[in-house]
Amino acid sequence: MTRALHAKGIVVVLGTALTLAAHAAVPAGTQLPVKAADKQFFKMGDLKKVRFLVAASDSADPESITSRLAGCTIEGDSAYNPRTGRLYVKNPVLTCSPETKMGAAFLGGSIMGQLSDSGLEGIRLDCPNPKECTMGSLKKDAEAAFTVTETMGGGN
């Protein structure tokens, strides 16, 4: 009888883990509203870490993936294109604390996607000379979107 209870316990634990993983998936095409977490100044050739916070979603559904990821961070290496005056994020990592609605089901990992604003790739920096933007600044709370390009997390 103990073996039967032990086996049932293992099945319940595995089922719960798989359910949490399935709900922790971030599907391709998900667009996360983000805000810059820090003010930073960039010059051509600078390599810096950049961090964006996933903003609360306008969605009426509190269980939507974007609502559940509110408060998580997307961090990565900056890639600044002086020709366009836009900042990109290389090797982005999405991290959620246990206090977010995603909870311990998803604490983070590498995420494939692109940062954009106004439908254009990258986020525009404030430049003193827009024609030749060899330096520019990213304002704290600058709004953008991060579009996930490859499914991440538990099954699809």
Side-chain angles (χ1 to χ4, degrees):
M1 181 143 158
T2 356
R3 277 188 166 159
L5 286 174
H6 185 69
K8 283 183 183 178
I10 289 173
V11 169
V12 168
V13 168
L14 284 174
T16 303
L18 289 174
T19 301
L20 287 174
H23 289 298
V26 181
T30 301
Q31 194 168 46
L32 302 173
V34 295
K35 290 186 176 189
D38 309 301
K39 178 181 178 178
Q40 289 197 41
F41 184 76
F42 294 90
K43 290 188 289 187
M44 191 167 61
D46 276 355
L47 296 174
K48 294 182 180 182
K49 288 283 188 193
V50 289
R51 189 168 59 115
F52 293 87
L53 298 173
V54 178
S57 169
D58 293 336
S59 172
D61 179 13
E63 290 304 309
S64 73
I65 193 76
T66 51
S67 294
R68 293 176 64 200
L69 287 170
C72 296
T73 61
I74 295 176
E75 272 184 289
D77 300 321
S78 65
Y80 176 54
N81 182 341
R83 278 190 235 147
T84 62
R86 291 188 169 274
L87 184 74
Y88 302 85
V89 179
K90 297 187 304 185
N91 309 318
V93 174
L94 176 69
T95 307
C96 299
S97 71
E99 290 81 42
T100 63
K101 290 183 186 175
M102 269 317 239
F106 177 76
L107 293 176
S110 296
I111 186 169
M112 297 293 290
Q114 85 178 28
L115 182 67
S116 62
D117 65 356
S118 310
L120 299 172
E121 204 173 317
I123 184 171
R124 190 156 223 19
L125 298 181
D126 289 329
C127 299
N129 182 0
K131 289 188 186 236
E132 189 181 340
C133 192
T134 57
M135 61 181 86
S137 60
L138 176 66
K139 292 183 179 176
K140 184 176 181 185
D141 293 330
E143 294 183 1
F146 186 87
T147 305
V148 178
T149 55
E150 197 172 294
T151 299
M152 175 191 181
N156 198 0

